[in-house]
Amino acid sequence: MCEIAADDVVGSVMNTSTSAIKPCIGVIERYRTFLPVSEATPVISLNEGSTPLIPAPRLSSIVGRDCRVYFKFEGLNPTGSFKDRGMTVAMSKAVERGASLVVCASTGNTSASAAAYAARAGIQCAVLLPSGKIAMGKLAQAFVHGAVVIALESNFDRCLSLIRELSTEPRIAVVNSINHDRLEGQKTAAFEIVDALGEAPDLHILPVGNAGNTAAYWKGYAEYLHAGHSTRLPRMLGFQAANAAPIYYDRVIEQPETIASAIRIGNPASWKMAKAAFNGSAGAIDIVTDAEILSAQRWLATNEGLFVEPASAASVAGLLKCCSENKCAQCPVRLLPEGATIVCTLTGHGLKDIAAVMSDSPKPLFASPTKAEILAILRKSR
Ligand code: F0G
């Protein structure tokens, strides 16, 4: 078992020389000088960010060589995913520019976040979603926050190209990551990691869909290095689902398919920027199968106590793959020094998408309400 020292229990805002430890502030207030906002920008915030960096003792011991693995648990943002970091900036800038309607295409989490922040801002929100491909929890979020929900008999990539067409309409703001305000907000996760660890990690692992988050983290690490808050950049390692892996295969996938609906994307908008991050950091892009994703999701829940949605489990599935016989030839994990620090971003909360877990779970054991019967069941299940 890998030992985690007491001083290893890093919270979200320890060891920070740059950001004062103020409770209850969102990413714009925490990192204002790094963001495209001015005094005139109305801050639309739900106190997103400042998510915990959680040590992963069991995963660390699997990696071995005294490496320390941490989870950046983005499922603890207000709408349950990392999208809120970008949405606070995109929504604030949209309101500043006088937008009365925000629009986005989504595999679910962007729409949930856009709907919530639009409600907060008091403006309208419309979301384009691939019909039948959105997890129920995410759909419920879009509805409950009052968004106009439009389902298309098509995939995410087509939804996004329609959003590009809508972007020329007056007073409509696009809040997908093709709007760079989103990436500006999302880069703050890299700042928080450096603030918590006191240095950039050796390796950063994350799932890849539209590839905006990869681009945002890379930008964040580079800006913090440039500002003197760290002395190095991490290797970036991304994982796509095996049948939705355009960057890995270096070609558009017309019909992407995966159980991890959040990353069912065949033509990522930030493809070039993500590739620059993988190449520029001496990292890599690799794939994991749906079976590996579901197995990692369950492993994480039962061994580390964290419940994430399938797409989020792709980063852990990837790291487990890197520690197995099945690792890729250029695996950056093999190149890590002893005692290296590895961060896996867990992008979204498991409660958003419970379908796969419930279809694979045992039923509850029914009992009559007596102590004897319960003890009998407990004896049998030990
Ligand atoms: N994980 C989750 C939970 C996501 O929702 C997404 C993307 C990703 C990973 C991939 O991040 O696109 O920046 O590479 N979700 C988008 C959406 C596409 O519409 O919610 P990415």
Side-chain angles (χ1 to χ4, degrees):
M1 209 24 222
C2 155
E3 293 289 312
I4 294 280
D7 67 356
D8 211 3
V9 184
V10 284
S12 53
V13 285
M14 272 180 60
N15 200 8
T16 130
S17 52
T18 51
S19 57
I21 302 178
K22 292 184 200 147
C24 306
I25 55 168
V27 298
I28 293 181
E29 294 308 346
R30 192 169 171 193
Y31 294 110
R32 176 173 276 277
T33 55
F34 288 90
L35 295 172
V37 292
S38 69
E39 288 306 318
T41 312
V43 176
I44 312 298
S45 173
L46 292 166
N47 290 359
E48 60 293 313
S50 299
T51 55
L53 190 63
I54 304 173
R58 295 218 165 84
L59 195 46
S60 299
S61 68
I62 290 175
V63 175
R65 292 185 296 130
D66 283 333
C67 292
R68 287 172 181 223
V69 183
Y70 296 90
F71 299 122
K72 183 65 173 161
F73 192 19
E74 292 288 275
L76 295 184
N77 275 297
T79 76
S81 87
F82 69 96
K83 304 289 179 178
D84 297 344
R85 292 179 183 277
M87 205 54 74
T88 181
V89 179
M91 198 65 66
S92 299
K93 295 300 286 182
V95 172
E96 184 181 357
R97 293 177 189 126
S100 56
L101 170 67
V102 293
V103 295
C104 66
S106 184
T107 56
N109 281 321
T110 299
S111 57
S113 185
Y117 280 78
R120 187 78 174 182
I123 62 175
Q124 266 199 314
C125 174
V127 301
L128 302 192
L129 310 175
S131 176
K133 303 290 189 187
I134 305 295
M136 285 310 279
K138 301 173 190 177
L139 201 53
Q141 287 179 288
F143 280 125
V144 80
H145 291 301
V148 177
V149 176
I150 304 168
L152 301 181
E153 286 302 330
S154 191
N155 60 25
F156 169 84
D157 302 294
R158 178 69 190 128
C159 293
L160 187 59
S161 66
L162 281 167
I163 288 290
R164 287 184 199 272
E165 289 179 35
L166 286 173
S167 68
T168 54
E169 295 295 310
R171 300 197 68 201
I172 293 187
V174 171
V175 292
N176 278 107
S177 55
I178 53 174
N179 171 349
H180 279 226
D181 295 333
R182 277 273 313 281
L183 302 189
E184 290 296 314
Q186 281 171 216
K187 77 186 177 188
T188 60
F191 297 166
E192 288 178 14
I193 290 166
V194 175
D195 283 342
L197 295 173
E199 179 56 285
D202 293 274
L203 179 68
H204 190 113
I205 308 179
L206 73 180
V208 180
N210 214 21
N213 214 24
T214 307
Y217 269 99
W218 186 234
K219 188 169 195 289
Y221 282 123
E223 286 184 14
Y224 240 34
L225 174 73
H226 188 68
H229 298 306
S230 61
T231 64
R232 64 184 187 198
L233 292 167
R235 290 175 191 268
M236 301 293 294
L237 176 56
F239 286 92
Q240 298 192 296
N243 293 324
I247 302 179
Y248 177 78
Y249 289 113
D250 203 20
R251 64 180 164 84
V252 171
I253 307 291
E254 298 294 342
Q255 309 279 357
E257 265 314 326
T258 167
I259 187 92
S261 57
I263 52 172
R264 188 189 281 123
I265 293 176
N267 190 8
S270 300
W271 189 326
K272 276 196 190 138
M273 281 192 285
K275 222 173 157 179
F278 299 130
N279 293 341
S281 70
I285 177 89
D286 196 3
I287 51 174
V288 280
T289 63
D290 280 4
E292 287 169 327
I293 287 173
L294 291 178
S295 150
Q297 182 192 36
R298 194 161 286 270
W299 186 90
L300 199 51
T302 52
N303 289 281
E304 300 281 15
L306 293 169
F307 182 24
V308 302
E309 65 168 284
S312 310
S315 58
V316 176
L319 183 53
L320 290 170
K321 177 179 170 183
C322 291
C323 298
S324 73
E325 292 305 305
N326 196 13
K327 58 180 166 266
C328 71
Q330 323 79 356
C331 181
V333 175
R334 283 192 316 185
L335 304 172
L336 292 177
E338 288 234 339
T341 307
I342 301 172
V343 173
C344 287
T345 299
L346 303 179
T347 47
H349 204 287
L351 290 173
K352 282 170 169 277
D353 184 358
I354 61 169
V357 164
M358 290 310 284
S359 72
D360 196 26
S361 285
K363 300 279 172 284
L365 304 168
F366 287 96
S368 57
T370 65
K371 181 178 173 188
E373 190 159 338
I374 289 166
L375 284 176
I377 290 175
L378 293 180
R379 263 194 301 277
K380 261 194 241 159
S381 60
R382 272 204 187 148

